[in-house]
Amino acid sequence: MDKEIIYLDNSATTRISECAKEKMAQAADIYGNPSSLHAMGSAAERIIRDAKTEILLSLGVRAVRDEDLRRLCFTSCGTEATNLALFGTAYAKKRREATRILTTDSEHPSVENSLARLAEDGFEIVRIPTRGGVLDTEALNASLDKPIFMASFMLVNNETGALYNVREAFGAIRRKNPSAVLHCDAVQGYLKVKFTPESLGADLVTLSAHKIHGPKGIGALYIAPRMLKERRIAPYLCGGGQEYGMRSGTENVIGIAGFGAAVREVCGSMPRSCEKMRELRDYTAEKLSSLGVILNRPSGESAPHILNLTLPDIKSQTMLNALSERGIYVSSGSACSSHSTHPSKTLISFGLTPHEADCSLRISFSEYNTKDDCDRLISALGEEISKLVRIRR
Ligand code: PLP
């Protein structure tokens, strides 16, 4: 792509880092099947072990031993990792003490639609409100009056950047329900905010490589030792028993190599890159507030890379097209839900009207963005707002 592109859609996906590309090219030459017992197979298997070690280290697992490697299960994406977490837990045991599942009202479709399927199978789904980007603690506490089977809360919202207090929520659930399985979709929070599965009190954590400068088509599910020991999770891809039996199918060695390399690189630069994203976001927010847009900033904590705003009576798709013509790429809400014609459920939960949600843009930053990118977005948005408002009059 040419140099003029300004890419501000990093919550949808990120540019693959040079380091990840290099590791992927090296892995492509080691084409043995990791299950094969010859030297080329072992070399491929080593790539998987190295990447797993890297990712487990990033999740706070110190001195990764062989038996720790089963704590990470590679999948084809974050969506599959979440499907494994939710369906794998729901169907691990035929007899369950409870059928109640807690979640938020602003989850990614990979959680929301999986839970809708579980609801058809008799599970009761309770959604905790997230108005203003904050988990409603009162509603959460009120929902703990009956036994909980499982909870699935995202760490960072993909449309607003709101950082939910998962640690506190999981603590409250666990106190009353020691055996509940706690899943966290950390796709948008991974390497943007500091956490470990332990610090969240999570049994299962979903990750995805393409949000952190790794390749698409590779994700992972962290599985806490107690889940494995007590067989609380069962695979739903059955076959040759790869990934310690948790996800059969020949591994995506090239993707895994890229995932591991991206994690190593981003981990190394994390405090600095997060600070940079935060500065760019805050700078952009401040300048944009004088253009008549409404900033949809979470009233609690937020991740550093996402800024959501509502345009003055201009449909987001119209603005998105106008910016795209200028080589500036942003998003009209979550890319994953852009197939839907309904206004974003997340923004409605946040407190916007359907019309406001329809006029909202998401700008998302990465460490590759510069202040110049922000200035060019700000002036393009300013010009397009005046133009589109004039046309309407
Ligand atoms: N969860 C969240 C919060 C996301 O933002 C996304 C993707 O945008 C996913 C899950 C799905 O990840 P993947 O694209 O790897 O399936």
Side-chain angles (χ1 to χ4, degrees):
M1 285 235 183
D2 70 79
K3 279 197 231 87
E4 293 306 308
I5 295 301
I6 296 178
Y7 186 78
L8 289 162
D9 196 14
N10 291 283
S11 286
T13 198
T14 53
R15 187 213 288 188
I16 305 187
S17 77
E18 290 308 315
C19 176
K21 276 192 219 166
E22 208 176 291
K23 285 285 176 199
M24 290 165 75
Q26 286 167 10
D29 286 334
I30 302 168
Y31 51 83
N33 187 318
S35 297
S36 294
L37 298 177
H38 49 66
M40 179 94 97
S42 306
E45 203 216 344
R46 214 166 309 121
I47 292 174
I48 299 176
R49 296 166 73 88
D50 289 350
K52 257 187 200 183
T53 304
E54 205 65 61
I55 298 167
L56 284 167
L57 284 170
S58 78
L59 293 173
V61 179
R62 264 166 270 144
V64 179
R65 298 155 304 172
D66 268 4
E67 65 258 39
D68 292 319
L69 297 177
R70 58 176 63 230
R71 288 207 227 170
L72 197 81
C73 176
F74 284 121
T75 58
S76 65
C77 55
T79 298
E80 190 199 319
T82 289
N83 274 252
L84 170 59
L86 303 182
F87 293 118
T89 301
Y91 300 125
K93 277 207 278 179
K94 282 271 180 299
R95 274 188 52 231
R96 287 173 224 102
E97 314 79 58
T99 55
R100 205 161 205 232
I101 302 178
L102 291 191
T103 188
T104 78
D105 63 357
S106 52
E107 293 294 317
H108 184 267
S110 51
V111 168
E112 181 53 37
N113 293 337
S114 299
L115 293 181
R117 176 81 70 83
L118 289 178
E120 288 171 13
D121 273 2
F123 287 88
E124 181 197 356
I125 315 297
V126 180
R127 292 177 182 79
I128 308 299
T130 55
R131 204 175 171 79
V134 178
L135 269 177
D136 184 333
T137 331
E138 248 175 62
L140 175 71
N141 289 333
S143 70
L144 299 177
D145 57 344
K146 289 193 208 142
I148 307 295
F149 166 64
M150 175 159 67
S152 182
F153 286 21
M154 68 190 340
L155 184 60
V156 169
N157 186 273
N158 47 302
E159 293 186 56
T160 63
L163 170 60
Y164 296 148
N165 196 338
V166 172
R167 179 197 176 100
E168 193 179 277
F170 281 3
I173 298 168
R174 179 77 81 211
R175 273 191 293 282
K176 286 207 166 177
N177 302 269
S179 70
V181 173
L182 306 177
H183 167 251
C184 178
D185 171 359
V187 165
Q188 292 290 345
Y190 184 45
L191 303 183
K192 304 286 193 319
V193 298
K194 268 187 118 174
F195 77 92
T196 65
E198 218 172 339
S199 73
L200 297 178
D203 297 306
L204 301 167
V205 178
T206 293
L207 309 173
S208 178
H210 72 103
K211 312 287 185 180
I212 55 145
H213 304 290
K216 292 166 192 59
I218 186 77
L221 183 68
Y222 170 86
I223 308 174
R226 91 170 178 120
M227 294 290 292
L228 296 164
K229 198 161 151 237
E230 295 170 15
R231 295 175 186 268
R232 296 294 307 273
I233 182 163
Y236 77 91
L237 273 192
C238 301
Q242 288 89 344
E243 292 296 88
Y244 302 93
M246 199 47 76
R247 199 267 187 187
S248 287
T250 302
E251 299 88 337
N252 171 3
V253 180
I254 298 172
I256 289 170
F259 194 176
V263 168
R264 189 174 320 125
E265 197 177 13
V266 178
C267 262
S269 67
M270 191 180 157
R272 188 176 34 81
S273 61
C274 287
E275 191 46 40
K276 182 179 177 191
M277 287 185 268
R278 194 177 297 283
E279 277 172 21
L280 294 178
R281 181 200 61 183
D282 292 347
Y283 173 78
T284 307
E286 197 194 314
K287 298 275 178 194
L288 288 183
S289 53
S290 62
L291 296 181
V293 305
I294 298 163
L295 300 174
N296 301 317
R297 310 273 320 244
S299 43
E301 286 191 70
S302 59
H305 62 304
I306 300 177
L307 179 64
N308 195 296
L309 57 92
T310 302
L311 299 163
D313 251 352
I314 299 164
K315 293 250 186 195
S316 39
Q317 193 58 49
T318 310
M319 183 58 85
L320 198 138
N321 294 345
L323 292 176
S324 181
E325 290 273 302
R326 293 167 174 251
I328 301 174
Y329 302 141
V330 298
S331 156
S332 57
S334 153
C336 314
S337 56
S338 59
H339 301 294
S340 154
T341 48
H342 302 294
S344 150
K345 266 181 73 183
T346 291
L347 295 180
I348 303 292
S349 301
F350 190 86
L352 271 60
T353 64
H355 177 68
E356 286 167 339
D358 229 15
C359 297
S360 295
L361 282 187
R362 178 184 70 181
I363 300 160
S364 48
F365 304 86
S366 85
E367 65 166 317
Y368 294 116
N369 288 121
T370 61
K371 196 155 164 271
D372 187 51
D373 292 345
C374 301
D375 285 330
R376 289 181 54 190
L377 166 79
I378 293 156
S379 78
L381 256 177
E383 285 168 25
E384 292 298 336
I385 289 175
S386 327
K387 199 157 66 183
L388 293 165
V389 168
R390 238 188 356 259
I391 293 170
R392 202 163 322 110
R393 279 200 193 116

